[in-house]
Amino acid sequence: MKLYYAPGACSISPHIALCEAGIAHQIEKVDLKAKKTESGADYLAINAKGYIPALQLDNGEVLVEGVAIVQYIADQKPESGLAPKAGTMERYRLMEWLTFISSELHKAFSPLFNPAMPDEAKKIFRARLAQRFAYVDEQLAGKNYLMGANFSVADGYLYNITRWAKRVELDLSGCHNIAAFVTRVEARPKVVEALKAEGLM
Ligand SMILES: N[C@@H](CCC(=O)N[C@@H](CS)C(=O)NCC(=O)O)C(=O)O
């Protein structure tokens, strides 16, 4: 499998999933402005949507959308425990988290990364994100990970997105459970492997 990624972007989540699942893979960097991969390929021919992540499967098929990609990876190695079995209530709980992280956290960062967005508007988006993170902080009370004791693909995604807070001056200093979660995730050897491969450590 090959993961198309950009260092530090939302492709960290599937990258962590691949490492945690122990799946042999390659990674190829994408220049998102030029829409070119590091080997010179036209990225739009790989993913017409133009964004990362994209996962090229061994049969050549390309899967996009982070939430679909991480579940695909987890399902290749059910023994990894990265996702509960499909069809169970627990699996819908995982999807509930993945959807929340995607729509309420991940995409809510976009206006804060946009240089054209006025500062007054950014304040509103920042305040909304702070509320969402406060909810996550409450949910992590007394738990190691979002689903309980075990690490899942939702944790890799949450960790990925939480890394962006400092870059957009989002103050998470009151979120002590999230801080402990981040420390716990960063202590995982497979997470370190993914971050090192992207040049982030
Ligand atoms: N819906 C997509 C969104 C992915 C996304 O937002 N990717 C960003 C990086 S974090 C990107 O590639 N932006 C560049 C662009 O849209 O041209 C997903 O969840 O996988």
Side-chain angles (χ1 to χ4, degrees):
M1 285 182 209
K2 189 197 275 184
L3 177 69
Y4 290 92
Y5 81 107
C10 55
S11 37
I12 294 177
S13 162
H15 197 175
I16 288 175
L18 283 166
C19 293
E20 287 279 350
I23 293 176
H25 62 275
Q26 300 163 266
I27 55 172
E28 183 157 353
K29 203 186 291 186
V30 178
D31 177 336
L32 289 169
K33 283 208 179 91
K35 305 294 176 202
K36 289 269 176 214
T37 76
E38 63 184 331
S39 67
D42 171 12
Y43 187 60
L44 291 172
I46 295 160
N47 176 12
K49 292 169 176 169
Y51 50 66
I52 50 91
L55 185 69
Q56 187 160 41
L57 311 184
D58 294 338
N59 67 4
E61 203 173 320
V62 174
L63 185 65
V64 288
E65 300 303 332
V67 165
I69 293 173
V70 293
Q71 290 183 80
Y72 175 83
I73 293 169
D75 287 341
Q76 301 312 297
K77 293 278 171 159
E79 67 279 15
S80 66
L82 288 168
K85 196 173 174 327
T88 61
M89 190 59 206
E90 281 298 284
R91 181 58 170 261
Y92 294 108
R93 291 290 176 205
L94 176 82
M95 290 196 264
E96 189 177 348
W97 273 119
L98 289 171
T99 307
F100 175 84
I101 297 165
S102 173
S103 59
E104 304 298 328
L105 300 179
H106 178 176
K107 283 294 131 181
F109 271 92
S110 306
L112 299 175
F113 284 129
N114 186 343
M117 184 66 66
D119 283 347
E120 282 308 302
K122 281 188 179 169
K123 275 187 201 156
I124 297 168
F125 287 111
R126 222 179 259 117
R128 170 58 69 95
L129 259 177
Q131 273 178 6
R132 299 292 189 238
F133 274 104
Y135 168 79
V136 174
D137 195 61
E138 271 172 38
Q139 293 297 309
L140 279 171
K143 281 195 233 162
N144 282 346
Y145 297 110
L146 290 172
M147 298 283 292
N150 298 321
F151 182 88
S152 75
V153 288
D155 298 300
Y157 194 14
L158 175 63
Y159 169 72
N160 184 165
I161 301 308
T162 304
R163 285 176 60 93
W164 299 341
K166 278 200 190 103
R167 281 168 56 186
V168 298
E169 293 166 29
L170 177 67
D171 181 13
L172 297 183
S173 58
C175 294
H176 302 293
N177 297 320
I178 292 180
F181 165 84
V182 166
T183 304
R184 212 171 283 131
V185 173
E186 287 180 343
R188 297 180 70 86
K190 296 296 177 182
V191 171
V192 172
E193 186 182 315
L195 295 177
K196 281 192 173 157
E198 294 197 18
L200 300 172
M201 261 186 145

